[in-house]
Amino acid sequence: MKEKNMNELESKKHYMRWQVIALLDFVTIISFENIFYPFQNQGLSVVISWIFLLFAYVIPYELIVSQMGLTFQTQSGGLASWVRRSSNDTLGYWTSWMYWIQSVPYIVDVSNSVIVSFSWMILGDNSLGSRMSTFQFGLLTFGIILAFILLENVFKNSLEILSLIGGGAMFIMSALFILLAGYAVMHGTHMATQPFNFHAFMPNFSLKYFSTTGLLIFAMSGAELAAPYLVQMRDPKHEFPKAMWLLAIMTAILTVLGTLSLAVFFDANNIPHDFKMNGPYYAFQMLGQEMGLGKILMYLFAVVQAIFMMAQLAVLLDASSRVFAGDVADRFMPHWMTKKNKNGRPIHSYLMTTGLSLFLLLLTGTLPNINTIYNWLLNINGIISPYKTCWVFFAFVAVRWQQNKFQSDYIFIKNRIGALLVGGWCLAFTFICATLGFIPQEADFGTKSFNHQLLLNIITVFVLFGLGFFMPMLRKRELRKQELRK
């Protein structure tokens, strides 16, 4: 009878299908605009980069996440728990800190994207840069961040739902662009990129080429975000790896076919200077004109982009509370940093997020125009985000090094030496690409602009990561004062 009741409860429990988890992860990792940055940096050769990364990096990455997720499926801390359980608390703290701090430049970047999307909805063109000074752009960006922080309690839940709606709509818009671009080619549209032959796809292996690869990693990383959904799966052992495989396939379709679709409308050898900021709007505007729809598709994309970015902003701001909670925070974070308001929000973490966003905006104020600001923030994400991703591979190497201590329902590469080599390759490759990302991408070596942006890159990473050293020191000082009072 007891067994029958358990079976009834099991049948009534709501499970998430692996296809849904793959889609949820996909829309939070990569969007349509992520294919524009590498296309401007590497041209048509980025297709080879995407294909190489798919087999040499993305598939191993997602299967590594499968093993790590199934090894620590009872742990709610995600990546920080993987590192903490496989090594020690101190490294777990650093993982938490870097996971949080990498969201700060992305918050500013997303806020910029919100402004750009509304400018296209209102103005219908790319004239934002000529209508707004860098100071006004920074002030408006800061105002958006501040407004979302103040309204976090009101908007968070509704915008989490909107992020799924916006993410799904973004996926549909991306697929629509690829399909319609293919349709246009089959009905007589000539490729804008010429020559369109084998040699056009060959990469130019220069220092600049490798320095831009961090943005590709930034665009493709984040599979570990699906780990918390493991407990909601009926058969995680078999279904979670399937979700990761589907995620890899969808990523490949968007990156490779999306890039080829861009080559239909844009000459890879003569890309507009503001392509990273305005490229997606140009693309849908040109597609609409080709299909006889005018600017309808462009306006539709602008609306979808605005919804998606605002929802992402709300979720990112809420994520700042994660590093200020739990047992890791209790040991390494000063008590005043974990203080919460009546709504359970870590108020001081929001103040820190606001302060660091303002710090970044002050740095961007030294740049000449809005387009440069937009590009520089993207490049910063191409440095900081891959450094965070290094912890995924570090945890995997640590687990496989001492694999007798850990049990998992799924093993990626049963041979221990083979697993360590693949994990070590992914770790080294990610770290090297992140470090090369310090090299400015939109300025020529030795110029004043190059030196300026290089200095900004060093200062930004030093400050954002360096703050992590002070928190444990402040906590120790706090504990000493408590001991003296006793």
Side-chain angles (χ1 to χ4, degrees), residues 2-12:
K2 184 178 180 181
E3 185 177 347
K4 182 180 178 182
N5 290 336
M6 287 294 291
N7 289 335
E8 287 178 359
L9 287 172
E10 191 74 10
S11 65
K12 290 179 181 177

Side-chain angles (χ1 to χ4, degrees), residues 215-399:
L215 271 177
L216 276 73
I217 293 175
F218 166 60
M220 296 172 126
S221 63
E224 65 277 4
L225 295 171
Y229 296 112
L230 272 162
V231 295
Q232 299 182 46
M233 303 182 83
R234 183 182 295 276
D235 182 13
K237 177 181 178 180
H238 297 101
E239 292 184 342
F240 193 67
K242 285 183 181 178
M244 293 296 99
W245 271 109
L246 181 56
L247 176 62
I249 292 169
M250 289 192 295
T251 302
I253 291 172
L254 176 59
T255 53
V256 176
L257 296 184
T259 301
L260 292 174
S261 299
L262 290 181
V264 175
F265 299 104
F266 300 97
D267 181 1
N269 306 304
N270 187 25
I271 297 173
H273 75 285
D274 60 344
F275 193 67
K276 293 180 181 178
M277 182 169 77
N278 293 316
Y281 304 94
Y282 291 152
F284 276 103
Q285 188 175 43
M286 295 170 77
L287 179 63
Q289 290 170 352
E290 190 70 29
M291 305 302 295
L293 298 172
K295 290 187 175 183
I296 292 175
L297 291 178
M298 182 274 289
Y299 282 115
L300 182 60
F301 175 78
V303 172
V304 170
Q305 177 82 335
I307 293 172
F308 185 44
M309 287 299 170
M310 287 191 292
Q312 271 201 325
L313 183 58
V315 175
L316 282 167
L317 289 170
D318 181 69
S320 65
S321 64
R322 295 173 193 169
V323 75
F324 303 104
D327 49 358
V328 170
D330 184 60
R331 179 177 167 185
F332 293 97
M333 300 297 295
H335 180 69
W336 56 270
M337 280 302 302
T338 61
K339 182 181 178 182
K340 297 181 180 180
N341 62 14
K342 62 181 181 180
N343 296 313
R345 303 286 183 186
I347 185 169
H348 289 120
S349 77
Y350 288 138
L351 289 174
M352 179 174 282
T353 301
T354 306
L356 289 174
S357 298
L358 183 59
F359 159 73
L360 284 177
L361 289 169
L362 290 172
L363 290 183
T364 62
T366 65
L367 295 170
N369 53 60
I370 290 175
N371 186 55
T372 308
I373 290 172
Y374 195 93
N375 292 342
W376 178 74
L377 281 168
L378 278 174
N379 295 343
I380 284 294
N381 283 304
I383 302 170
I384 294 180
S385 180
Y387 275 136
K388 173 268 301 179
T389 304
C390 285
W391 288 110
V392 175
F393 307 118
F394 174 87
F396 176 73
V397 169
V399 165

Side-chain angles (χ1 to χ4, degrees), residues 170-190:
M170 182 67 72
F171 175 70
I172 293 169
M173 292 294 291
S174 304
L176 182 66
F177 180 80
I178 293 170
L179 291 172
L180 291 181
Y183 176 86
V185 170
M186 288 188 291
H187 287 77
T189 299
H190 295 288

Side-chain angles (χ1 to χ4, degrees), residues 449-477:
S449 178
F450 180 94
N451 295 334
H452 182 197
Q453 291 188 38
L454 179 62
L455 181 62
L456 292 186
N457 292 344
I458 294 169
I459 290 172
T460 300
V461 176
F462 179 80
V463 170
L464 294 183
F465 287 162
L467 277 175
F469 285 100
F470 289 98
M471 296 302 161
M473 294 166 58
L474 293 172
R475 179 58 176 161
K476 286 181 181 178
R477 183 180 177 186

Side-chain angles (χ1 to χ4, degrees), residues 423-460:
W425 146 256
C426 289
L427 175 59
F429 180 74
T430 308
F431 184 83
I432 290 170
C433 288
T435 305
L436 288 174
F438 277 94
I439 301 171
Q441 296 167 20
E442 277 80 35
D444 294 326
F445 181 79
T447 62
K448 184 178 179 181
S449 178
F450 180 94
N451 295 334
H452 182 197
Q453 291 188 38
L454 179 62
L455 181 62
L456 292 186
N457 292 344
I458 294 169
I459 290 172
T460 300

Side-chain angles (χ1 to χ4, degrees), residues 64 67 396-397 399-401 403 410-424:
I64 282 171
Q67 176 170 345
F396 176 73
V397 169
V399 165
R400 295 308 298 266
W401 186 265
Q403 61 185 24
Y410 173 81
I411 303 295
F412 171 59
I413 306 179
K414 296 189 183 297
N415 181 273
R416 179 171 176 264
I417 300 300
L420 289 172
L421 287 173
V422 173

